[in-house]
Amino acid sequence: MEKRTLGKTGLEVSLIGFGGIPIQRCNQWDVDEIIENLIEEGVNFIDTARAYTNSEEMLGEALRKWGRENFFLATKTPMLTYKDVMTDVKISLEALQTNGIDLYQFHNCKTMESYEIIMGPDGGYAALIDCQKKGLVKHIGITSHSYEVLDRALDEGYFETIQFPYNIIENKGAALFAKAKAGNVGVIAMKPLAGGAFIHTNYALRWAAENRNISTLIPGMDSVKQVLSNTAVGNNFAPLNDKERKTLEADAKALGKTFCRRCGYCSPCPQGIDIPMQFIVEGYYRRYNLEEWALDRYNSFVSNASDCIECGECEPRCPYNLPIREMLKNTSELFDPLVHKKV
């Protein structure tokens, strides 16, 4: 597995890391098997978060079985204040069954106001500095979907790593990553597969890995099959050839800009709708010529797009500011006449 240095942390991390969002839908046996295969394939970087429901707990149990020493472990807190961050660090340590966390990050710092709270006298940054002094946290990072927040963080120089989305569609981060590299700040690229939206995942990962300012890519994985597919990129990295690049560019063009990245932050829906799954099956119907499969899946859901009452609770949670209610309406308009016809 190719290794790159995670900025001033000095950690030599695998080019392909592990993103811990999707294992929320796995059972413990699945996670144990995933961790075993990550070790075999040379992955040594795991990223999870307090916000990923039971991800920390399942990873902690798997690491107890397969060896905490095999990984640099990163997690995140959405909290902003000193007291709340201290509480989250304690919870993370217990859940992950470890005495220390290699990288603790502020999770999705959305606004300058949030950043200023974090960096204030009673803010979370001071809490992590105190945790460093106690040996509970080794390095401190920040993640965001806001270019402006991370740009300011780089200017001020307090953080050892940044984490930002990056793929062929969401490529604004390239300039940010160059700035980070110049300041010896580690770069963790999230959403390299756009939340699973790309059909040619190998090409998508290789496209992102071509950017040498990136330290590690953290695609989410919820199966051994995905582990083997994604780690092949880091174990035998090669830049895209012209044909492969054109194929990926066609995928990107088909997706456009307004699409779901499957992060799950929109959940829970009061009507019980699995919102990301609605858009997944729509994508398979519209883009990948799997109409029958997509229709069957849509028809199997207990709640689907037509059950949306447009309450709007989901939209403020979306880091991409997607018009979810309008998108669900479009999904309903596509599938409902077909469901009724099939019945």
Side-chain angles (χ1 to χ4, degrees):
M1 173 68 67
E2 179 177 332
K3 301 293 196 304
R4 297 183 183 180
T5 304
L6 188 63
K8 65 186 70 175
T9 71
L11 304 178
E12 293 295 318
V13 295
S14 51
L15 172 58
I16 304 299
F18 176 78
I21 288 181
I23 63 168
Q24 298 171 85
R25 50 181 175 261
C26 295
N27 58 44
Q28 187 63 54
W29 173 262
D30 294 326
V31 179
D32 292 348
E33 194 174 21
I34 287 169
I35 293 299
E36 178 186 10
N37 279 269
L38 289 175
I39 295 171
E40 290 178 356
E41 297 303 317
V43 173
N44 71 355
F45 184 81
I46 290 176
D47 178 89
T48 183
R50 291 290 317 121
Y52 303 162
T53 62
N54 60 350
S55 177
E56 284 186 332
E57 285 79 3
M58 287 196 292
L59 286 170
E61 183 62 20
L63 291 173
R64 183 185 65 81
K65 296 173 183 175
W66 290 108
R68 164 72 176 86
E69 69 278 3
N70 289 299
F71 295 97
F72 297 122
L73 192 54
T75 192
K76 306 185 283 288
T77 176
M79 299 303 177
L80 307 177
T81 67
Y82 185 100
K83 180 180 178 181
D84 289 339
V85 169
M86 278 296 197
T87 298
D88 261 8
V89 170
K90 181 179 179 180
I91 294 171
S92 290
L93 290 166
E94 292 176 355
L96 291 165
Q97 300 187 40
T98 185
N99 294 322
I101 294 167
D102 298 291
L103 175 64
Y104 213 98
Q105 305 158 96
F106 290 99
H107 192 181
N108 192 21
C109 181
K110 296 180 180 180
T111 65
M112 290 298 182
E113 291 77 14
S114 295
Y115 180 85
E116 287 167 1
I117 293 171
I118 289 169
M119 303 309 298
D122 296 314
Y125 185 81
L128 292 187
I129 290 294
D130 284 349
C131 288
Q132 273 188 325
K133 294 174 181 177
K134 297 175 183 178
L136 304 178
V137 169
K138 292 182 181 179
H139 305 285
I140 302 173
I142 185 169
T143 86
S144 184
H145 293 262
S146 166
Y147 185 103
E148 291 72 23
V149 166
L150 293 188
D151 191 46
R152 177 175 174 182
L154 289 174
D155 284 339
E156 296 185 354
Y158 290 103
F159 295 96
E160 297 171 89
T161 66
I162 61 167
Q163 186 176 142
F164 191 71
Y166 187 70
N167 55 64
I168 193 171
I169 295 174
E170 299 163 293
N171 51 29
K172 184 180 179 181
L176 197 68
F177 298 166
K179 184 174 182 176
K181 181 75 170 183
N184 198 24
V185 173
V187 172
I188 303 165
M190 60 170 151
K191 302 292 185 291
L193 300 179
F198 293 121
I199 191 169
H200 294 91
T201 57
N202 179 278
Y203 298 173
L205 285 175
R206 286 162 60 197
W207 182 93
E210 289 175 349
N211 188 328
R212 301 298 301 184
N213 295 324
I214 292 172
S215 309
T216 184
L217 308 169
I218 52 167
M221 304 179 231
D222 61 9
S223 70
V224 170
K225 181 180 179 181
Q226 290 176 359
V227 170
L228 298 178
S229 174
N230 293 341
T231 55
V233 172
N235 283 321
N236 189 27
F237 175 65
L240 295 175
N241 61 39
D242 290 343
K243 182 178 178 181
E244 291 167 336
R245 196 175 304 277
K246 289 178 181 177
T247 298
L248 182 61
E249 288 170 353
D251 280 357
K253 184 177 180 180
L255 277 172
K257 295 290 186 181
T258 305
F259 65 95
C260 175
R261 281 73 167 180
R262 298 172 62 186
C263 65
Y265 292 154
C266 56
S267 300
C269 167
Q271 302 306 306
I273 303 168
D274 186 337
I275 296 172
M277 278 304 300
Q278 300 295 303
F279 302 141
I280 289 170
V281 295
E282 180 185 4
Y284 277 111
Y285 189 98
R286 294 188 190 273
R287 296 192 296 272
Y288 301 141
N289 299 316
L290 293 169
E291 291 91 345
E292 189 67 24
W293 178 90
L295 180 57
D296 287 343
R297 287 301 304 274
Y298 182 86
N299 207 20
S300 71
F301 298 145
V302 175
S303 300
N304 55 34
S306 60
D307 295 306
C308 175
I309 61 172
E310 300 190 34
C311 67
E313 288 191 19
C314 53
E315 292 186 359
R317 304 183 194 133
C318 177
Y320 297 95
N321 299 311
L322 294 179
I324 296 174
R325 287 173 288 183
E326 185 64 27
M327 292 168 66
L328 285 172
K329 184 179 179 181
N330 292 338
T331 303
S332 176
E333 289 174 350
L334 169 67
F335 282 115
D336 289 350
L338 300 171
V339 169
H340 296 151
K341 179 189 285 188
K342 190 172 182 179
V343 173

